[in-house]
């Protein structure tokens, strides 16, 4: 083993930024965000089970500007992880590996997640908005 | 390999020398929970949207309905399991100090397991009318 510490791949400094690396990093980042979102889901369910006062606390938090920001971010993170997850599952069965397909599918994840987020929030506000 | 011991089968020499991890089990469960969540996450978001603007009593009643309670519990278990597996890989990849890595792995497992238990308990409590 050579004693010099050689850089290990992947080292982000040497690559030009491209959609492939962005989609991969964002998949992990949204995954981490969604774990924290899951903890909020658990907290909200516990509040719903424990009483009207606790639930009023949840809805007033969810309706505040910060709550809306969190919910909006959570929706996008879920939409992205969901769409890009489909892409990963398709890659697991060997589909979509040509560079052209890879780049196109990456953009589908990014733009599709924004469209899905918009659809969900249009549905939320046409159903009566956040309580 | 010098398997000169006449009393031991070659398997004895191989055991414990292979992969230190658990082979493909992690990968496979991550995919199984992913496929489950493709459906269950859409269901969960649809449930939330349908409850937008709902008051306390109707939110409780919706979660208490057996159809919703069962699918919610399935969603919660799949989500926290999938989340734990994903966080495990992130920690394995980026946290290199052994003590810190083990601490992080324990925290992720305990938090995901407790959150899954607590949220399933909450749904059961609503569904079974306590």
């Amino acid at each position: 083993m050579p004693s010099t510490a050689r850089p290990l791949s992947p080292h982000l400094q040497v690559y030009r930024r491209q959609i492939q690396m962005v989609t991969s990093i964002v998949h992990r980042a949204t995954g981490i965000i969604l774990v924290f979102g899951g903890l909020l889901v658990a907290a909200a369910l516990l509040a719903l089970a424990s009483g009207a006062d606790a639930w009023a606390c949840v809805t007033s938090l969810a309706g505040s500007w910060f709550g809306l920001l969190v919910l909006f971010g959570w929706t996008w993170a879920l939409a992205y992880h969901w769409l890009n997850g489909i892409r990963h599952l398709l890659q697991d069965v060997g589909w979509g590996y040509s560079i052209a397909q890879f780049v196109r599918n990456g953009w589908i994840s990014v733009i599709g997640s924004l469209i899905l987020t918009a659809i969900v929030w249009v549905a939320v506000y046409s159903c009566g908005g956040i309580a | 390999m010098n398997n000169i011991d006449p009393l031991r089968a070659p398997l004895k020499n191989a055991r414990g020398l292979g992969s230190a991890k658990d082979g493909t089990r992690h990968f496979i469960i991550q995919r199984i929970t992913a496929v489950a969540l493709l459906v269950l996450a859409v269901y969960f978001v649809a449930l939330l949207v349908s409850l937008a603007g709902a008051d306390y009593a109707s939110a409780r009643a919706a979660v208490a309905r057996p159809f919703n309670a069962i699918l919610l519990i399935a969603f919660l278990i799949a989500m926290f399991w999938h989340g734990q597996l994903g966080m495990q890989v992130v920690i394995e990849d980026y946290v290199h100090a052994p003590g810190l890595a083990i601490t992080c792995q324990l925290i992720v497992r305990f938090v995901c397991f407790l959150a899954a238990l607590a949220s399933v308990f909450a749904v059961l409590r609503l569904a079974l009318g306590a």
Side-chain angles (χ1 to χ4, degrees):
Chain A
M1 279 273 278
S3 59
T4 48
R6 290 189 178 142
L8 296 167
S9 179
H11 34 126
L12 294 176
Q13 311 92 301
V14 301
Y15 293 116
R16 192 170 287 143
R17 248 167 243 126
Q18 46 193 343
I19 183 73
Q20 296 92 306
M21 65 165 66
V22 174
T23 50
S24 174
I25 293 165
V26 173
H27 196 73
R28 286 205 158 180
T30 50
I32 295 169
I33 290 167
L34 288 169
V35 168
F36 287 99
L39 297 181
L40 293 181
V41 169
L45 280 170
L46 284 171
L48 185 65
S50 66
D53 292 344
W55 183 247
C57 211
V58 169
T59 49
S60 70
L61 263 176
S64 69
W65 70 268
F66 184 71
L68 283 172
L69 193 71
V70 168
L71 281 173
F72 200 79
W74 180 81
T75 314
W76 172 76
L78 183 63
Y80 179 85
H81 204 83
W82 188 84
L83 263 182
N84 206 51
I86 293 174
R87 180 166 159 256
H88 273 290
L89 288 171
L90 292 173
Q91 283 168 3
D92 287 340
V93 295
W95 188 84
Y97 272 100
S98 79
I99 293 175
Q101 283 174 317
F102 214 89
V103 170
R104 186 201 60 196
N105 296 341
W107 282 111
I108 288 176
S109 292
V110 172
I111 295 166
S113 66
L114 296 174
I115 293 171
L116 284 180
T117 307
I119 290 172
V120 167
W121 281 88
V122 166
V124 166
Y125 278 103
S126 63
C127 276
I130 303 288
Chain B
M1 280 298 192
N2 45 348
N3 181 31
I4 50 165
D5 189 337
L7 296 178
R8 280 185 201 179
L11 182 62
K12 175 66 186 154
N13 290 351
R15 242 180 216 149
L17 295 175
S19 166
K21 308 276 166 50
D22 54 357
T24 54
R25 187 179 145 82
H26 180 288
F27 180 93
I28 289 169
I29 297 178
Q30 196 170 40
R31 267 67 190 171
I32 293 172
T33 50
V35 172
L37 284 166
L38 281 184
V39 179
L40 293 171
V42 172
Y43 157 78
F44 180 67
V45 171
L47 178 69
L48 285 188
V49 170
S50 77
L51 286 175
D55 60 7
Y56 176 66
S58 44
R60 272 185 82 104
V63 174
R65 220 165 284 141
F67 178 83
N68 285 335
I70 291 167
L71 284 182
L72 260 177
I73 290 172
F75 169 73
L76 291 165
I77 292 172
M79 175 184 67
F80 284 115
W81 199 351
H82 188 82
Q84 183 272 316
L85 292 171
M87 291 294 280
Q88 182 187 340
V89 175
V90 170
I91 293 164
E92 281 168 359
D93 284 356
Y94 302 127
V95 182
H96 299 305
L100 183 61
I102 290 170
T103 308
C104 289
Q105 297 286 16
L106 281 177
I107 290 171
V108 163
R109 274 164 202 251
F110 290 160
V111 168
C112 285
F113 193 74
L114 273 181
L117 278 183
S119 51
V120 168
F121 173 77
V123 173
L124 285 176
R125 197 169 172 219
L126 289 163
L128 302 177

